[in-house]
Each structure stands twice: as structure tokens, then as C-alpha cells.
């Protein structure tokens, strides 16, 4: 019995060491939230008290984790992207969709009662120490940090979009790094570098133009004293980005950009308590796939069954030919598939992806190129066939194809012959698996896991202040940051020097000649 008071004291002391952290992830994108959920659960497991605003509440209680507010459904993305909707988004500007659908529209959710109560009566026992928001479209949620008077940390589930670099003074590396809206190789030619520059500058301006409306939205819901949206963005202390040098290349970055690519892919120790049990029927099917199997999924949003009949016919014919190799296909509504599904294809509406990618019998992953799923594939060394559909999927798949860990197919020009060739290459050419094994080792070889890296730097910001990683670049106007004033000064100084080097001798020569001309002649006696 004497141990109980000691245990109680130990728990109380441990709790006092924890911080209280608010996470605001209002965009209803399941693939995005995978990263943020793992981050918040990791913080909770470390002993911090986390409160979360999202559209994805926990199905069962999790220690130190509270669903503070559940964002009501607007446009639902989970298993809701039909082929027609996908084509509409592709034809429209990605920047426009992010700034409006995932930005301004999401900012209107600041009006929900739970957030209004938080703003009017912020907790004081204990108060918040930090706010974490998603860096995507709705940066208006940084206003919660202003209201609560605490630092704000950003988290991006993708490589930084062009408009995010300025928030922390991160060098954009236009000459060596394509922005993630362009499917360009790392070694760009002149015209590609030209378009990379113009494209990045235009999308940055366009995003800022469209999201300027967020200032009015914040002030309408949170009060007239809320600063301008650009000022709030520039006060973000740090951004955690879902990127890593093994895939995204070596480039200079500010210390306020922390690369935590693959944070959602847990290590063996991290997975023990969150492991998703495999359905017995699926586990049996994979174990019995002694000739191997392909995993076919277009992610949590896209409905494969909504693709045109000619595309589905190509899938059926190509995948049916590889029997006895089997295919596991994620289909939201299997009953909506046309008849004639080959016997070697097993379809399910939900599949625990990590458990599948870890299975020893898997041969390859047919994917749309979403960053979360492809990082899982890289982590577990599974080569890919990429069929990019929208957003950053094009550049993701291009990077993987350039590194010989994937074969790319284009959905608009897809033929049965092209798919046959891609499947044959990925199954029988050893270079894909061998290359991926090397890259997978680089991807996993880090001093700390991505999750623990993120936790370390979040705690660093809380302990040392929101400006502890602030770049001096944030205090300079763009023309000083690009050294234009120095270039102009040096150019003018050079012109002046050249002018003086030419003009002074000429002037001296002229004066000397004129003095000789006017000098009096000596009289001859």
C-alpha cells in the first residue's frame, strides 16, 4: 500500500513536465490527417496533453488526447473522388482549389460553437503552450495562436507548396528544385528553369490574392483585432514538412523547416499499440498467394469503380493475364464494378495498407502516387507502378521513375499494351527492387525517427520561444534578400569607375593641350 502514494506522486510529477498543445487540422482529407494524427498521438504518448480540432475524431479513447471540436462535413473527400470530379479538379488550378475549397471555405468553420467557446474562454489550468496548424490552404487557424498568445507551428503533409516558403524565410531553390506543382526533373534545362520560376511566382501571387479574404473571415469570427493573414503566416515559428533528402534531394533549407518525411510510417516500437489487425480472410488470402500478389489502390479518396469502362477493361485484361500472380484491389463499392472481374483479383472496400505492404508475398504496388502511400511503399521496399491523377502526384511519380523504383503510366493515354509492359517490368526486372532496397535504407537511416524528430523540435519551440528558429531573412524585403540593392550598387559603381577611368585621362589630356595652346611664345632676340 505504501507504493500507491509514491506512484501517485511520480505520475503527478510526470504530468507537470508535459505541455498542453492545441492541434487544428480542419481540412477533411483523410490522407492529410494520417500524418497529423500520428504526430498528436506521439505527443500525447510522450506525456503532453493534446486537444485536437479535426474532422476525424478517435473511435476509442486515447490517453492525453481529446477531440476538442469536430469539424462538420463540407465537401467530403473520403471515397468520394469520381473520375469526373478528378478530371474537373485537374482542369482547374490546383492553387485555386487549395486556396478556396481547402482554404477560405474551411476558414468559415471558425464559427463552430466549440471554437467560439475556446476563444471566449481559453483554458487556464493549464493554459495552452503551443498551437499546431496544417500548412495547406486554411492558415487562418494561426489566429488561434494569436488569441491564446502562444507560438504556432505548421505541419505540411506534402513537400512545401510555393506559397509556404516565405512564411519561414526558406530558400526556394528555383534553379535546382522544381516546385511541387510541376513534374520536372531535378536537373532542369534553361526553359524548365524559366517556367519553374514563372510558375512558382505566379502561384505564390495567386494563392496570396485568393486567400487575402481570410483576414476578413478571421475578424468576422474571432474579433476585429486579429492581424492580417500574411502577418500571421510570417509569425509561424517552424514548419514540419513531409519530405526527406533521400527522395526530394539535397538543398539548402532554413533550420525552421524540419523534414519529417514518413512520420506516419511508424517504427516497430511505435506500431505495437496502434497496430491494425488484419481481417482473417485477407491474411489467409495473402499467405496463400505463394506466387506473389500486386496491391492496387488509388488511395482513400478516388473511386476506381467510377473510371470509364475502357479503363476498367484495361485493368481487367492486364491483371488477369498475370495469374497465378494475384491482385489485391481497394474498391470503395465492389458491387459497382462491371462484371467480368478476373478470378485472381480480390477486391475489398477497406484495406490496412501498411500491413499489406509489409507482407513477404507482395511484389508491387499500383498507386496514384499519393505521398503517404508511396512513402509507406519506399519504407517497406515495394516497387511501384504509378498512375498520377492530380496535385503533387505527378512530380512524386516522376521522382520515383527517375530513381528506378517505379514505372509511370499516364491515365489519359493508358493502353493495355502499356500496362502489360509496366507490370512485366516491375515483376521481372530486378533493378526496381534492388534500387528500392538501397533507397529504403537511406529513407530509414536517421538519428531519430521522424516522429521523435518532430516531437523534439516542437518541445524546443515551447522551451526556447517562438522566434528561436526565426530566419533573419524574415526581416528583409525581397529586393534586399535577393541582393538587388547590392547588384545595383556594384553595377553603378562599376559604370562610374569605368567612366572615371575614361573621362579623367581625357580631361587631363584636354587641359594639358589647352594649356600648351595658350602658353605665350618666347621672343627671339
Amino acid at each position: 500500500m505504501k507504493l500507491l502514494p509514491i506512484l501517485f506522486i511520480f505520475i503527478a510529477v510526470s504530468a507537470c513536465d508535459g505541455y498542453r498543445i492545441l492541434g487544428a487540422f480542419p481540412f477533411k482529407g483523410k490522407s492529410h490527417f494520417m500524418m497529423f494524427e500520428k504526430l498528436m498521438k506521439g505527443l500525447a504518448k510522450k506525456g503532453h496533453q493534446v486537444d485536437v480540432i479535426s474532422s476525424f475524431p478517435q473511435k476509442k479513447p486515447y490517453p492525453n488526447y481529446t477531440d476538442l471540436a469536430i469539424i462538420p462535413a463540407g465537401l467530403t473527400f473520403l471515397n468520394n473522388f469520381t473520375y469526373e470530379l478528378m478530371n474537373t479538379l485537374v482542369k482547374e488550378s490546383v492553387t485555386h482549389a487549395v486556396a478556396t475549397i481547402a482554404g477560405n471555405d474551411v476558414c468559415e468553420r471558425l464559427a463552430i460553437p466549440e471554437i467560439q467557446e475556446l476563444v471566449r474562454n481559453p483554458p487556464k489550468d493549464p493554459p495552452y503552450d503551443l498551437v499546431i496548424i496544417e500548412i495547406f490552404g486554411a492558415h487562418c487557424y494561426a489566429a488561434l495562436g494569436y488569441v491564446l498568445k502562444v507560438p504556432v507551428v505548421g505541419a505540411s503533409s506534402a513537400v512545401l507548396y510555393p506559397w509556404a516558403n516565405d512564411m519561414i524565410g526558406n530558400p526556394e531553390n528555383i534553379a535546382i528544385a522544381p516546385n511541387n506543382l510541376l513534374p520536372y526533373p531535378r536537373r532542369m534545362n534553361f526553359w524548365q528553369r524559366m517556367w519553374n520560376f514563372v510558375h512558382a511566382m505566379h502561384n505564390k501571387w495567386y494563392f496570396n490574392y485568393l486567400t487575402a479574404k481570410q483576414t476578413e473571415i478571421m475578424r468576422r469570427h474571432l474579433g476585429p483585432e486579429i492581424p492580417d493573414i500574411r502577418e500571421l503566416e510570417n509569425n509561424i515559428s517552424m514548419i514540419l514538412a513531409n519530405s526527406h533528402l533521400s527522395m526530394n534531394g539535397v538543398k539548402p533549407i532554413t533550420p525552421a523547416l524540419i523534414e519529417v518525411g514518413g512520420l506516419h510510417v511508424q517504427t516497430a516500437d511505435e506500431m505495437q499499440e496502434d497496430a491494425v489487425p488484419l481481417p482473417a480472410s485477407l491474411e489467409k488470402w495473402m499467405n496463400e498467394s505463394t506466387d506473389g500478389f500486386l496491391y492496387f489502390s488509388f488511395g482513400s479518396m478516388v473511386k476506381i469503380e467510377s473510371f470509364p469502362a475502357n479503363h476498367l477493361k484495361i485493368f481487367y485484361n492486364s491483371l488477369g493475364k498475370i495469374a497465378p500472380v494475384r491482385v489485391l484491389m481497394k474498391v470503395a463499392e465492389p458491387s459497382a464494378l462491371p462484371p467480368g472481374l478476373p478470378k485472381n483479383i480480390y477486391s475489398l472496400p477497406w484495406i490496412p495498407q501498411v500491413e499489406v505492404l509489409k507482407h513477404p508475398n507482395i511484389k508491387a504496388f499500383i498507386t496514384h502516387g499519393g505521398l503517404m502511400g508511396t512513402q509507406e511503399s519506399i519504407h517497406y521496399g515495394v516497387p511501384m507502378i504509378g498512375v498520377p491523377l492530380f496535385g503533387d502526384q505527378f512530380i512524386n511519380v516522376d521522382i520515383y521513375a527517375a530513381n528506378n523504383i517505379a514505372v509511370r503510366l499516364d491515365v489519359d493515354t493508358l493502353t493495355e499494351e502499356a500496362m502489360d509492359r509496366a507490370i512485366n517490368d516491375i515483376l521481372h526486372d530486378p533493378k526496381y527492387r534492388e534500387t528500392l532496397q538501397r533507397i529504403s535504407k537511406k529513407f530509414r537511416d536517421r538519428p531519430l525517427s521522424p516522429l521523435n524528430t518532430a516531437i523534439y523540435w516542437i518541445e524546443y519551440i515551447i522551451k526556447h520561444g517562438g522566434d528561436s528558429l526565426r530566419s533573419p531573412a524574415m526581416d528583409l524585403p525581397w529586393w534586399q534578400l535577393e541582393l538587388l540593392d547590392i547588384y545595383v550598387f556594384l553595377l553603378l559603381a562599376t559604370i562610374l569607375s569605368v567612366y572615371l577611368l575614361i573621362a579623367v585621362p581625357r580631361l587631363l589630356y584636354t587641359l594639358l593641350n589647352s594649356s600648351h595652346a595658350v602658353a605665350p611664345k618666347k621672343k627671339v632676340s
Side-chain angles (χ1 to χ4, degrees):
M1 294 297 292
K2 291 182 179 180
L3 289 176
L4 288 178
I6 297 174
L7 181 61
F8 176 80
I9 292 171
F10 174 77
I11 294 173
V13 171
S14 299
C16 292
D17 290 337
Y19 300 113
R20 187 168 190 178
I21 299 170
L22 174 65
F25 314 110
F27 175 62
K28 195 175 180 63
K30 180 63 175 177
S31 59
H32 292 226
F33 190 67
M34 285 171 60
M35 173 182 174
F36 310 138
E37 181 181 29
K38 291 293 187 294
L39 173 61
M40 301 309 285
K41 282 186 172 181
L43 289 165
K45 187 177 179 182
K46 187 76 184 295
H48 304 303
Q49 181 179 344
V50 301
D51 299 331
V52 179
I53 298 170
S54 78
S55 298
F56 302 97
Q58 295 300 301
K59 295 179 180 179
K60 59 182 181 179
Y62 193 91
N64 296 333
Y65 186 114
T66 302
D67 287 302
L68 184 69
I70 301 170
I71 301 296
L75 178 61
T76 300
F77 295 93
L78 185 62
N79 289 327
N80 197 41
F81 263 46
T82 63
Y83 186 83
E84 292 76 14
L85 177 58
M86 181 193 72
N87 275 341
T88 300
L89 288 178
V90 169
K91 291 174 183 176
E92 292 182 356
S93 163
V94 172
T95 302
H96 185 274
V98 173
T100 55
I101 297 173
N104 299 345
D105 294 352
V106 174
C107 288
E108 294 290 357
R109 300 292 190 265
L110 287 167
I112 68 172
E114 294 86 351
I115 294 179
Q116 291 296 304
E117 176 62 23
L118 172 67
V119 171
R120 286 193 299 267
N121 299 299
K124 297 178 181 178
D125 187 24
Y128 285 112
D129 297 290
L130 185 84
V131 171
I132 304 176
I133 68 166
E134 178 175 10
I135 300 299
F136 192 48
H139 304 149
C140 54
Y141 285 79
L144 296 176
Y146 177 84
V147 171
L148 298 170
K149 297 180 174 56
V150 296
V152 176
V153 164
S156 173
S157 62
V159 178
L160 286 193
Y161 285 92
W163 50 83
N165 289 290
D166 288 346
M167 299 178 192
I168 52 173
N170 189 56
E172 293 186 76
N173 311 297
I174 293 292
I176 62 172
N179 79 76
N180 68 336
L181 297 174
L182 287 178
Y184 281 172
R186 287 194 60 79
R187 291 190 177 184
M188 297 176 283
N189 60 35
F190 172 81
W191 298 111
Q192 288 171 331
R193 284 186 288 115
M194 169 84 77
W195 184 238
N196 189 38
F197 170 75
V198 173
H199 190 270
M201 295 303 106
H202 167 73
N203 280 280
K204 184 189 301 185
W205 169 84
Y206 192 39
F207 178 86
N208 289 341
Y209 168 76
L210 292 173
T211 56
K213 181 181 178 182
Q214 293 184 18
T215 300
E216 180 272 327
I217 297 173
M218 291 185 299
R219 289 173 178 170
R220 176 159 35 92
H221 295 311
L222 303 180
E225 74 283 357
I226 300 297
D228 180 85
I229 182 62
R230 303 284 87 90
E231 182 180 343
L232 288 174
E233 287 176 340
N234 290 340
N235 282 326
I236 290 174
S237 300
M238 176 182 75
I239 295 178
L240 306 168
N242 192 19
S243 57
H244 187 256
L245 60 87
S246 62
M247 278 287 91
N248 304 108
V250 175
K251 51 192 173 185
I253 59 175
T254 177
L257 176 62
I258 309 297
E259 291 195 304
V260 290
L263 182 147
H264 69 292
V265 188
Q266 297 171 304
T267 64
D269 291 338
E270 293 165 351
M271 288 186 67
Q272 286 180 358
E273 64 180 53
D274 293 329
V276 178
L278 272 170
S281 57
L282 174 57
E283 186 171 19
K284 181 176 183 293
W285 183 91
M286 291 193 296
N287 291 338
E288 292 176 351
S289 299
T290 52
D291 292 294
F293 68 91
L294 275 64
Y295 172 49
F296 188 168
S297 172
F298 281 165
S300 62
M301 298 191 295
V302 176
K303 301 177 72 172
I304 292 178
E305 63 272 28
S306 71
F307 275 54
N310 63 307
H311 283 77
L312 294 175
K313 182 179 179 182
I314 291 171
F315 296 153
Y316 280 21
N317 291 345
S318 287
L319 296 172
K321 292 175 188 175
I322 64 174
V325 176
R326 293 167 144 188
V327 180
L328 175 61
M329 181 182 288
K330 186 259 182 186
V331 184
E333 296 181 57
S335 60
L337 286 172
L341 188 70
K343 293 182 179 179
N344 65 323
I345 297 180
Y346 180 37
S347 66
L348 288 171
W350 176 83
I351 295 172
Q353 185 161 281
V354 168
E355 299 302 318
V356 170
L357 292 172
K358 288 167 54 181
H359 199 278
N361 288 341
I362 190 168
K363 297 292 186 182
F365 179 21
I366 303 176
T367 171
H368 63 319
L371 190 56
M372 297 297 177
T374 54
Q375 284 179 337
E376 292 168 355
S377 196
I378 291 168
H379 184 93
Y380 292 108
V382 181
M384 294 169 278
I385 295 174
V387 190
L389 303 176
F390 54 86
D392 64 349
Q393 296 161 13
F394 295 94
I395 192 170
N396 293 341
V397 173
D398 281 347
I399 289 173
Y400 305 149
N403 281 279
N404 289 324
I405 63 173
V407 178
R408 171 171 171 164
L409 293 173
D410 293 307
V411 69
D412 293 331
T413 58
L414 186 65
T415 64
E416 187 175 328
E417 292 75 16
M419 188 152 190
D420 287 347
R421 188 163 51 250
I423 293 174
N424 182 70
D425 288 347
I426 210 73
L427 286 178
H428 302 296
D429 190 337
K431 75 177 181 183
Y432 294 103
R433 187 169 289 273
E434 290 171 359
T435 305
L436 188 49
Q437 292 299 325
R438 294 196 301 270
I439 291 177
S440 179
K441 288 180 181 178
K442 289 172 63 177
F443 185 71
R444 291 180 280 112
D445 189 2
R446 314 187 199 188
L448 288 173
S449 72
L451 177 59
N452 286 328
T453 300
I455 292 173
Y456 171 83
W457 286 108
I458 286 171
E459 293 174 342
Y460 185 95
I461 290 293
I462 296 175
K463 288 186 286 188
H464 301 295
D467 60 351
S468 53
L469 298 179
R470 182 179 175 84
S471 169
M474 299 296 294
D475 301 319
L476 295 177
W478 69 268
W479 48 273
Q480 288 184 356
L481 191 60
E482 299 297 333
L483 296 178
L484 292 186
D485 54 341
I486 305 299
Y487 295 145
V488 169
F489 173 80
L490 291 176
L491 178 62
L492 292 176
T494 301
I495 293 172
L496 180 61
S497 299
V498 172
Y499 172 78
L500 291 175
L501 285 173
I502 297 172
V504 169
R506 282 185 176 180
L507 179 62
L508 291 175
Y509 179 78
T510 302
L511 291 174
L512 193 60
N513 282 345
S514 62
S515 66
H516 281 298
V518 299
K521 295 182 179 180
K522 293 182 179 179
K523 293 182 179 181
V524 180
S525 55

